[in-house]
Amino acid sequence: MTIDDHLDTRPSDQELQRLLSGKTPEPSFAHLVRMSDDTGLFEHARGPIPKRWHGYCVDDVTRGLIVVCREPEPSEQLVRLAEVYLAFLLHAQDRERGFHNRMGLDRVWHDEPETGEWWGRGVWALGTAANRGPTPWIRAVALERFDDGAKLRAGLGPQSRLNHAMAYAALGAAEVAEAHPGHPAALSVLADAAVTIGRPGPDPAWPWPEPRLEYGDAALPEALIAAGQHIGDEALLRDGLALLEWLLTLSTREGHLSPTPAGGWSPGDPRPAYHQQPIEAAAYADACARAYAVTRDRKWLTGVRMSIDWFLGVNDSGIPLIDEATGGGYDGLGLDWRNPNQGAESTIALISTLQHARWLDRIPTVAT
């Protein structure tokens, strides 16, 4: 029997009943610890076992640093993880050229530093650590290196997927602006991100600023919302909220989240579509949580709840994407199966979404 035979199956009725009744599971960091060592965070796994030979990826280390810094009372083990992840980012960062992205198991960089999409995630993680890092020294170093990273946005090129790179950077800038109101570099990044992403288009059926939905798209309206909030631009804030509402409506099917698949989606493509990835649900949870925090409009709580429930099995296939035994998140959802592997990105997406459940579960009578 292979791991695919063991895991790549529809869950039992007992598993579904357990996940869908009672309190939402607490986020577990057990698998994140399993995927980490004293250098960084391994990118891929076979089942829950790290594929060390694939090495490390800045994209995932940034995500790991963000969820650890979001913990309100991190354990000593998580503080140590934050230090490891931050040290990895400092090593990856070139103050003149951007970030490396891929390191082998030999601890040698296998690429040159650039301002690709991982630059935006690096700035996001540094901004989050500058605001929410668990120790004063983490916050101080992260703020210093945030400033260095923010200066490189002028060097972004076509390879960067500009909209997404700037959206991620803006989320980090919003963290810095929260901790340090009026911070010049943070406000500048937010303003530049708003210009780069653009305003909603004139066609109400497709106001999206790109011709096709791709990957982690909810970060774009979230960045506009954050920019409008911290710059004090009410029109920009309304645009971000309108784009997020359109995107969430498009990705809602029969009352549950039906996100964009790995290959993207354009008008006329079939829905639902697969392979759905956990990072999409996590992006919706983040964006809707920010929209609620800014507006206090309870309609956004539905988006957060649908994102949580997507992991618990309320999705197009009725299959949970959480492994309660390991603390890991499965790598994707198919028509009647789930990817058996539990890589870093999927596990972190699960953790970040369940972190939102803590406060959501304290708000009574949320309609879904």
Side-chain angles (χ1 to χ4, degrees), residues 17-318:
Q17 183 70 25
R18 185 171 66 256
L19 286 169
L20 294 175
S21 63
K23 186 178 178 182
T24 305
E26 274 286 307
S28 169
F29 287 84
H31 189 52
L32 191 66
V33 171
R34 183 182 295 113
M35 293 288 289
S36 303
D37 65 4
D38 61 357
T39 295
L41 176 60
F42 294 110
E43 182 177 9
H44 296 297
R46 181 59 172 159
I49 306 302
K51 289 185 176 180
R52 293 175 177 266
W53 59 94
H54 280 277
Y56 314 88
C57 177
V58 162
D59 280 326
D60 290 328
V61 173
T62 59
R63 296 178 179 113
L65 182 58
I66 288 167
V67 294
V68 170
C69 289
R70 285 178 174 180
E71 277 296 285
E73 297 180 359
S75 65
E76 289 185 14
Q77 186 179 45
L78 291 187
V79 173
R80 174 58 182 154
L81 275 188
E83 292 175 340
V84 169
Y85 296 161
L86 180 57
F88 187 93
L89 288 185
L90 300 189
H91 186 35
Q93 188 177 22
D94 183 301
R95 296 186 179 190
E96 303 299 325
R97 294 185 289 167
F99 287 87
H100 293 277
N101 191 28
R102 298 195 174 277
M103 175 187 281
L105 187 58
D106 55 6
R107 299 187 178 183
V108 173
W109 293 110
H110 291 183
D111 60 5
E112 293 298 320
E114 296 181 45
T115 49
E117 210 171 305
W118 55 92
W119 162 84
R121 290 196 183 95
V123 175
W124 182 8
L126 291 171
T128 302
N131 182 19
R132 310 196 213 186
T135 65
W137 53 89
I138 286 176
R139 295 192 294 273
V141 172
L143 181 61
E144 173 191 330
R145 301 309 285 268
F146 167 86
D147 287 338
D148 291 333
K151 295 173 185 175
L152 296 179
R153 64 190 181 280
L156 291 174
Q159 79 282 4
S160 307
R161 287 183 74 215
L162 280 173
N163 283 3
H164 290 74
M166 284 303 300
Y168 298 139
L171 299 180
E175 294 278 356
V176 172
E178 180 179 311
H180 305 278
H183 189 279
L187 295 182
S188 183
V189 169
L190 287 163
D192 286 354
V195 172
T196 301
I197 295 168
R199 298 296 178 92
D203 182 359
W206 191 265
W208 196 246
E210 297 177 324
R212 182 175 175 84
L213 295 176
E214 294 288 349
Y215 177 87
D217 283 320
L220 273 64
E222 184 186 358
L224 295 180
I225 294 167
Q229 175 190 12
H230 290 286
I231 296 172
D233 186 330
E234 287 294 327
L236 182 59
L237 175 60
R238 288 195 299 271
D239 283 346
L241 292 169
L243 266 184
L244 179 59
E245 184 169 17
W246 175 84
L247 184 64
L248 183 62
T249 300
L250 188 70
S251 298
T252 299
R253 181 174 178 267
E254 298 178 357
H256 65 257
L257 190 66
S258 180
T260 302
W265 188 84
S266 295
D269 291 348
R271 298 294 293 269
Y274 304 95
H275 182 282
Q276 295 176 16
Q277 295 185 300
I279 193 67
E280 300 297 336
Y284 279 104
D286 277 358
C288 290
R290 184 179 298 274
Y292 174 72
V294 171
T295 67
R296 293 298 169 182
D297 188 335
R298 293 174 67 89
K299 72 181 181 182
W300 298 113
L301 300 179
T302 299
V304 181
R305 173 53 62 189
M306 286 197 304
S307 302
I308 295 165
D309 289 346
W310 184 88
F311 284 96
L312 304 183
V314 185
N315 52 47
D316 287 315
S317 299

